[in-house]
Amino acid sequence: MKVGSAPVFAVVLGLMVAAPALAGDPIQSMAQGVVDTFVTGCEQDIEKHCKDVTPGEQRILACLYAYQDKLSTRCEYALYDSAAQLERAVNALSYVANECREDLQTNCSSVQPGEGRLLECIKKNDAKVSTRCKQAISDVGLK
């Protein structure tokens, strides 16, 4: 699969859609790292092919998609690296969600998800939280 192919763009596009909603959330740094990798790696390509595109609503990414056959190796690598980082972040969060499922149901069922509220609830209920949930949170660096 060519680096600038549609599946990679779709993954990065999904991140760009989700990243603003993560503001204030403990996983924001994970998402920001993915976005930073993409922006830094594709900065020259954005300037070359998309300098007249108004940022926002994934227009820059759509522009790069239109020029995918002309992207630099650096930008192509950044797209793949961003997709790999995103996959690792999703896997880490899935691991925590699976390991903490019962703790969340028992201790945090009335908490509205988002903006770090569930993690904060788990931390507030630390004495009642299972060892495996605590370990998962520690393993992925959300402590």
Side-chain angles (χ1 to χ4, degrees), residues 88-101:
R88 284 190 301 274
V90 167
N91 288 338
L93 295 173
S94 293
Y95 167 57
V96 170
N98 286 330
E99 296 301 306
C100 296
R101 180 174 325 240

Side-chain angles (χ1 to χ4, degrees), residues 31-94:
Q32 191 59 52
V34 175
V35 172
D36 290 347
T37 296
F38 164 70
V39 171
T40 301
C42 293
E43 190 171 30
Q44 291 175 349
D45 293 82
I46 292 169
E47 181 61 29
K48 180 177 181 180
H49 303 297
C50 308
K51 65 182 175 193
D52 296 327
V53 174
T54 303
E57 299 179 6
Q58 296 77 47
R59 286 185 284 265
I60 299 290
L61 195 58
C63 175
L64 289 177
Y65 181 73
Y67 288 96
Q68 66 181 308
D69 60 330
K70 294 176 175 54
L71 296 180
S72 68
T73 303
R74 177 182 168 127
C75 184
E76 289 179 344
Y77 177 78
L79 286 165
Y80 266 123
D81 193 25
S82 295
Q85 287 178 32
L86 180 59
E87 182 178 12
R88 284 190 301 274
V90 167
N91 288 338
L93 295 173
S94 293

Side-chain angles (χ1 to χ4, degrees), residues 103 106-107 122-131 134:
D103 295 292
T106 302
N107 302 303
I122 289 290
K123 288 178 181 179
K124 284 181 183 176
N125 290 287
D126 185 66
K128 301 180 211 171
V129 173
S130 69
T131 303
K134 291 177 188 178

Side-chain angles (χ1 to χ4, degrees), residues 14-26:
L15 170 74
M16 300 302 207
V17 169
L22 298 174
D25 198 290

Side-chain angles (χ1 to χ4, degrees), residues 10-33:
V11 168
V12 177
L13 177 63
L15 170 74
M16 300 302 207
V17 169
L22 298 174
D25 198 290
I27 62 171
Q28 179 182 9
S29 62
M30 287 185 209
Q32 191 59 52

